[in-house]
Amino acid sequence: MSNRYDEKERRIHCAFSEKCGGCDYAGMKYDNELAVKQKYIEELFGEYVKVDDIVGMYRPIHYRNKVHAVVGLDDSRNVIAGTYEENSHRIVDTSDCMIEDSQCTDIIKDIKELIASFKYQPYDEDAGKGMIRHILLRKGFSTKEIMLVIVTAGVAFPSKNNFLKALCEKHPEITTIVQNINDRRTSMVLGKRNIVLKGKGYIEDVLCGCRFRISPTSFYQINHQQTEKLYKKAIQLADISKNDTVIDAYCGIGTIGIVASKKAGKVIGVELNSEAVSDAKINASINNIKNVTFVNADAGDFLVEYAKNAKADVVIMDPPRSGSTPEFLNSLLKIKPDRIVYISCGPDTQARDIKMLVKGGYKVTACQPFDLFPHTEHVENVILLSRKA
Ligand code: SAH
């Protein structure tokens, strides 16, 4: 069976789903999946507020603009590339995927063949030997720019020019190619060092009318269409006006803060990843935005210091799946912003954090889930907290 999409029921059928484990809801009608996700958010937040209807996708396929494949060998020593089988380190050779951008899937297929024909050895985790570890692709939804990151175990890249020539002949649409060196025995995909092999070393995309640079290690939302709806809602809930000081915590490349800055007095973004902060600063300047500053720090450390002598009217926070920290949340309670907009891709940790903010004097006044990850178990959620009168 090959992969296919049932247009009427918005259901995907995937030949790899059982082994890959990425799409827990493969085979289920999309409306039913949305109902499951809605119920989950209602269970977590229904005690505080009426949960608005989840915003799903009209055509929930091929939405992932970031595609990652591990490279390895199968039992017959053929080169394969795909995802790790659930809870294991066996690679599932996903030659087709219903949620990834199709152009990226095709590029990976051809790279796999080139790796074999150039006789490059995939990296063997157990032995700590071999050359090619991962392939990472990112595509700008609006600009169509494509970045390929080839993760290698060392700097050596024999016959590099011939390899690049063969690849670019097949895929001239790849606008930039970066070699990333990851020489550590780790499950982290990317190492510290990047060597630009072609183009600018980053891509740009347009989101909510602003232009953004995205470097290899920077975070960027993987579902462009849904992210635009999510940001629009978050900024609407934040109800920002020209006198407001806004903090954009866990800001990545500055997307939310930059989009929000047009309505605000000033915006301060804080982010741990230094490469993302460099992107954010450049992004402010590309968009000719002057009222935003970005700080490279742990959001909790930053807020502890900030709370000592400064105020903010609005805090928008968008932490990773593990949620925020007591340091951050306690400082937030000291700063006492009028409104907190909490965006989360891990609603269970969001619920834990919200409990603390509610205890500290905030009231949950809106809750709106968004399906950013159709067919997978993941769901994004936006919550507005306001200070109790
Ligand atoms: N708001 C951004 C990024 C959200 S993802 C967007 O929508 O694109 C979460 C971000 O938090 C990532 O960029 C990650 O690098 C950053 N991060 C993770 N831990 C952090 C910490 N302790 N302090 C600050 N930022 C952190």
Side-chain angles (χ1 to χ4, degrees):
M1 186 184 76
S2 69
N3 294 357
R4 75 188 171 83
Y5 175 56
D6 174 348
E7 192 84 58
K8 198 164 147 263
E9 307 225 296
R10 299 194 290 167
R11 184 200 305 257
I12 61 164
H13 296 284
C14 173
F16 308 102
S17 67
E18 223 151 90
K19 278 198 167 168
C20 158
C23 293
D24 291 277
Y25 297 122
M28 189 191 273
K29 258 169 82 169
Y30 186 50
D31 284 343
N32 292 351
E33 174 187 336
L34 289 175
V36 170
K37 291 180 174 177
Q38 178 76 20
K39 187 159 169 267
Y40 171 58
I41 297 296
E42 280 170 1
E43 277 164 12
L44 287 174
F45 301 103
E47 60 175 299
Y48 303 116
V49 73
K50 184 188 170 306
V51 177
D52 290 330
D53 287 345
I54 186 167
V55 177
M57 282 187 92
Y58 174 67
R59 200 162 192 272
I61 51 172
H62 301 304
Y63 57 83
R64 272 197 78 96
N65 59 26
K66 174 179 161 186
V67 173
H68 162 237
V70 199
V71 182
L73 294 172
D74 67 8
D75 293 341
S76 322
R77 304 199 64 77
N78 298 312
V79 178
I80 52 174
T83 55
Y84 285 122
E85 210 170 297
E86 235 182 342
N87 303 321
S88 93
H89 268 205
R90 280 177 67 91
I91 300 167
V92 188
D93 192 28
T94 46
S95 53
D96 192 9
C97 174
M98 293 305 294
I99 64 172
E100 290 171 4
D101 176 272
S102 309
Q103 213 176 6
C104 292
T105 309
D106 289 346
I107 293 172
I108 289 181
K109 241 188 286 177
D110 287 329
I111 292 179
K112 198 167 63 179
E113 283 173 17
L114 282 173
I115 290 173
S117 74
F118 277 77
K119 301 201 164 44
Y120 293 150
Q121 282 308 305
Y123 181 76
D124 178 331
E125 276 194 333
D126 299 328
K129 284 202 178 99
M131 174 187 161
I132 310 263
R133 298 184 70 151
H134 305 268
I135 303 165
L136 194 73
L137 280 153
R138 285 181 132 171
K139 178 170 165 187
F141 179 89
S142 312
T143 59
K144 309 292 174 223
E145 292 181 6
I146 294 178
M147 168 163 62
L148 163 66
V149 183
I150 304 171
V151 184
T152 57
V155 183
F157 200 145
S159 312
K160 181 170 69 192
N161 292 340
N162 287 336
F163 175 83
L164 294 176
K165 187 163 171 269
L167 178 61
C168 293
E169 267 168 19
K170 277 201 157 162
H171 292 286
E173 71 276 18
I174 302 175
T175 48
T176 188
I177 303 178
V178 177
Q179 179 186 1
N180 175 275
I181 293 138
N182 185 354
D183 54 11
R184 288 172 303 169
R185 290 181 93 150
T186 160
S187 59
M188 297 275 287
V189 175
L190 293 172
K192 286 213 168 86
R193 187 165 166 210
N194 287 322
I195 302 173
V196 178
L197 305 179
K198 178 193 170 174
K200 304 178 287 193
Y202 57 85
I203 54 165
E204 290 185 348
D205 198 16
V206 177
L207 183 72
C208 298
C210 296
R211 201 170 178 90
F212 294 102
R213 169 189 293 208
I214 309 149
S215 292
T217 67
S218 299
F219 177 90
Y220 185 62
Q221 293 285 358
I222 56 106
N223 186 331
H224 187 277
Q225 287 160 285
Q226 292 295 90
T227 300
E228 288 201 323
K229 297 180 207 167
L230 167 80
Y231 283 5
K232 203 170 151 201
K233 182 71 186 185
I235 291 169
Q236 180 207 328
L237 289 174
D239 192 21
I240 301 165
S241 62
K242 273 292 167 198
N243 294 321
D244 286 342
T245 296
V246 179
I247 293 177
D248 175 10
Y250 309 90
C251 69
I253 60 170
T255 42
I256 299 173
I258 286 172
V259 175
S261 68
K262 294 169 186 168
K263 298 186 166 178
K266 67 172 184 182
V267 177
I268 305 159
V270 56
E271 160 67 43
L272 190 59
N273 174 349
S274 62
E275 193 171 39
V277 174
S278 306
D279 285 351
K281 288 178 180 166
I282 290 164
N283 289 334
S285 102
I286 299 175
N287 293 286
N288 200 21
I289 284 168
K290 306 257 183 329
N291 60 342
V292 185
T293 48
F294 291 103
V295 181
N296 184 195
D298 168 82
D301 291 349
F302 169 80
L303 220 62
V304 168
E305 283 305 306
Y306 190 89
K308 285 181 183 162
N309 49 30
K311 288 285 161 207
D313 304 286
V314 176
V315 173
I316 302 176
M317 56 189 286
D318 184 9
R321 197 158 284 153
S322 52
S324 191
T325 57
E327 293 74 36
F328 185 95
L329 298 166
N330 279 323
S331 305
L332 208 49
L333 293 175
K334 271 196 197 153
I335 296 170
K336 297 189 174 63
D338 288 336
R339 294 172 297 289
I340 301 169
V341 177
Y342 190 148
I343 305 171
S344 169
C345 56
D348 52 340
T349 57
Q350 185 185 32
R352 174 200 70 201
D353 294 347
I354 294 286
K355 201 178 233 171
M356 197 164 151
L357 295 173
V358 168
K359 250 194 203 148
Y362 280 87
K363 192 173 180 321
V364 178
T365 44
C367 175
Q368 167 81 75
F370 286 85
D371 192 18
L372 257 61
F373 317 101
H375 314 300
T376 78
E377 63 174 359
H378 301 294
V379 57
E380 190 89 7
N381 191 40
V382 182
I383 282 193
L384 173 66
L385 296 128
S386 311
R387 285 198 62 72
K388 280 185 197 155

